[in-house]
Amino acid sequence: MSWHATVLTLFPPMFPGPLGLSLAGHALSAGLWRLEVQDIRDAATDRHRTVDDTPFGGGAGMVMRPDVLDAAIGCDDGRPLLYLTPRGQPLTQDRVRALASGPGVRLICGRYEGVDQRVLDVRGVEEVSVGDYVLSGGELPALVLLDACVRLLPGVMGAEASGEDESFSAGLLEYPHYTRPAEWRGHVVPEVLLSGHHGAIAAWRRAQAEQITRARRPDLWRRHVNLIDLPGMDSAPAGP
Ligand code: SAM
């Protein structure tokens, strides 16, 4: 059975969208993963196919009804059920890796002001955010989450790009890349990369990854330092 994604949305035509192209698209055609798109509106029971209502307590906007969303979710099938929301836990590569190694995901895309809290509580939904900004719907976040998972599925990336060496894989941001020409606008490629000395190249890349992480993401750096517990290592945020 291939990895199975179900997306609950009010805008089914937004899928597969970019996931129908390139790596994810080829993998979809090859059956390495499966995408099911479910229109939440199909679960509405009135003739206007209403899915939302005004918020209790007043305020702007509309809220997705719990009864309609619950009916759209249907039976639990063992796959994690996630709601994309700015209020959720930030999505991390660790969580992506765990989701990619499971049977698949079911994703709820919010619209309007969001969804009625009771359906999230009753269904034990995991709330996930793709960043500290507000988008108009959960569809783009769902595409982001699916893209991040699908590229890790067996057979999706070539052996030459296994994902083991990327940003976050060892808790660090990635080192810089260079390709031909070796000199461009007077800028030369770091000499060590032309040396053919694999040990020296690995050490240089590691040092670059550490330096970039320390300068750009003190939060990741502190975590990395704590995990590897380097004696005498300064874990304070570094300046640029
Ligand atoms: N009222 C909500 C709030 O302040 O947190 C924002 C609602 S937003 C306009 C509509 C929907 O977009 C949300 O229900 C959620 O599904 C999705 N969304 C917006 N930003 C998101 C983010 N950063 N991460 C994940 N989902 C997001």
Side-chain angles (χ1 to χ4, degrees):
M1 277 281 278
S2 56
W3 198 79
H4 181 190
T6 302
V7 179
L8 286 82
T9 172
L10 291 173
F11 296 95
M14 289 181 77
F15 296 89
L19 298 183
L21 304 167
S22 188
L23 275 187
H26 293 309
L28 190 57
S29 308
L32 296 176
W33 69 292
R34 193 150 66 91
L35 177 62
E36 199 183 333
V37 183
Q38 209 177 312
D39 190 342
I40 296 171
R41 213 171 278 286
D42 289 344
T45 52
D46 65 328
R47 70 190 173 91
H48 300 295
R49 297 177 22 103
T50 309
V51 295
D52 59 333
D53 213 323
T54 52
F56 282 122
M62 302 293 276
V63 176
M64 213 179 286
R65 291 173 57 117
D67 51 347
V68 175
L69 185 53
D70 186 60
I73 293 168
C75 300
D76 178 19
D77 66 0
R79 284 177 295 157
L81 179 61
L82 278 62
Y83 169 48
L84 286 311
T85 165
R87 243 178 34 183
Q89 285 295 315
L91 184 63
T92 62
Q93 189 67 11
D94 280 350
R95 187 67 191 119
V96 165
R97 221 178 279 120
L99 291 171
S101 63
V105 286
R106 295 199 297 164
L107 304 178
I108 301 167
C109 303
R111 281 273 157 179
Y112 323 120
E113 286 310 311
V115 308
D116 187 292
Q117 184 61 39
R118 290 167 294 178
V119 70
L120 301 176
D121 296 341
V122 167
R123 289 297 197 138
V125 175
E126 176 182 341
E127 299 185 40
V128 176
S129 165
V130 295
D132 290 347
Y133 42 79
V134 179
L135 299 162
S136 32
E139 287 76 14
L140 290 175
L143 289 166
V144 165
L145 186 148
L146 291 176
D147 182 86
C149 289
V150 164
R151 61 195 295 282
L152 297 185
L153 298 177
V156 174
M157 280 194 280
E160 71 281 1
S162 66
E164 279 164 25
D165 210 18
E166 292 182 317
S167 288
F168 312 113
S169 57
L172 295 171
L173 302 178
E174 201 185 41
Y175 50 81
H177 295 286
Y178 297 89
T179 186
R180 289 183 187 80
E183 183 178 342
W184 176 75
R185 291 193 180 185
H187 296 270
V188 292
V189 168
E191 212 173 312
V192 63
L193 299 180
L194 310 174
S195 68
H197 190 306
H198 297 305
I201 292 171
W204 180 86
R205 285 179 167 164
R206 174 79 187 185
Q208 289 287 314
E210 291 184 351
Q211 190 183 315
I212 289 171
T213 308
R214 192 164 181 231
R216 296 186 185 177
R217 292 289 302 273
D219 56 323
L220 290 180
W221 178 246
R222 268 193 297 274
R223 194 165 151 241
H224 176 70
V225 169
N226 288 337
L227 282 179
I228 59 176
D229 201 16
L230 288 178
M233 180 65 88
D234 172 18
S235 62

